[in-house]
Amino acid sequence: MEKTLKARTDLSKYDNSWYKPGGFLKQLLWYFANRLFINTYLPFPMAIKRFVLEMFGAKLAKGVVIKPKVNVKYPWFLVIGENTWIGENVWIDNLTMVTIESNVCLSQGCLLLTGNHNFTKSTFDLIVKPITIESGAWIGAKATVCPGVRVYSHAVLTVDSVATSDLEAYGIYQGNPAKFVKTRNLSS
């Protein structure tokens, strides 16, 4: 039996020098501001959180609520619409743009991932793709939205589920990878 040699991952050749999310000083200042005012259990008023995020380039509409211990990678890649709730321990790992429209709920511990690695390359190249979560959508507790996913209007990603592809409007999705389970019917 002949053994076929296959390429092997070589992380010593990893190179993401093309990726420039912001200057070193900007990133360093954000790291400390994030730890002190956003990614903390200290009960800072929303006005202070808003000021700090906007000072670093986030675009926040009125009525945004950010609970304690939220982690935002780079606020200059973040847009949040009106009356959106960001729950405790949410991690917005936005290596590129994350757009969250109005009346969205990101429940406790959910994760928005805009970065991944190309596992088909021996160099494990970095891949970044934006995320958009449209108005009225709900991302359940500890659910994950993967790079490049668009969550359409009023879609629901249930607790601990993983969205690896787009979620259609008013669909309820569950599992890993998340699959459509039923239609969301809202009453007034």
Side-chain angles (χ1 to χ4, degrees):
M1 190 190 296
E2 189 176 323
K3 187 175 181 180
T4 305
L5 295 177
K6 296 189 180 216
R8 295 171 125 7
T9 301
D10 185 353
L11 295 179
S12 71
K13 294 182 179 171
Y14 177 75
D15 178 15
N16 71 340
S17 60
W18 62 269
Y19 178 69
K20 298 186 181 359
F24 173 76
L25 184 58
K26 181 180 186 179
Q27 290 181 55
L28 182 65
L29 289 172
W30 170 245
Y31 173 81
F32 289 110
N34 187 39
R35 294 293 295 156
L36 182 60
F37 297 105
I38 311 299
N39 190 8
T40 180
Y41 282 115
L42 294 173
F44 287 106
M46 188 54 217
I48 291 174
K49 292 178 186 183
R50 169 184 288 282
F51 174 77
V52 170
L53 284 162
E54 288 177 340
M55 189 172 69
F56 281 91
K59 292 176 179 59
L60 308 178
K62 68 178 183 175
V64 172
V65 174
I66 298 176
K67 293 293 191 173
K69 206 68 178 148
V70 169
N71 192 14
V72 176
K73 183 74 157 195
Y74 298 129
W76 47 93
F77 294 139
L78 183 61
V79 174
I80 303 177
E82 293 182 353
N83 306 313
T84 288
W85 299 347
I86 312 292
E88 192 170 322
N89 288 310
V90 166
W91 183 11
I92 302 174
D93 191 22
N94 56 335
L95 298 171
T96 190
M97 281 306 300
V98 167
T99 303
I100 303 165
E101 295 182 357
S102 298
N103 298 297
V104 169
C105 179
L106 301 180
S107 292
Q108 302 87 339
C110 77
L111 175 58
L112 306 183
L113 287 175
T114 60
N116 204 345
H117 294 276
N118 187 342
F119 63 84
T120 66
K121 295 231 178 196
S122 64
T123 53
F124 211 53
D125 296 351
L126 178 66
I127 300 168
V128 294
K129 294 180 182 175
I131 290 173
T132 299
I133 301 176
E134 292 185 1
S135 293
W138 178 16
I139 308 302
K142 297 194 176 188
T144 302
V145 178
C146 292
V149 169
R150 182 177 204 100
V151 178
Y152 285 89
S153 176
H154 292 84
V156 175
L157 182 63
T158 65
V159 171
D160 218 16
S161 295
V162 179
T164 58
S165 59
D166 292 353
L167 307 184
E168 294 302 317
Y170 289 88
I172 298 175
Y173 292 80
Q174 182 176 26
N176 180 7
K179 302 286 184 206
F180 175 83
V181 292
K182 63 183 176 180
T183 299
R184 180 181 185 187
N185 294 309
L186 291 171
S187 59
S188 48

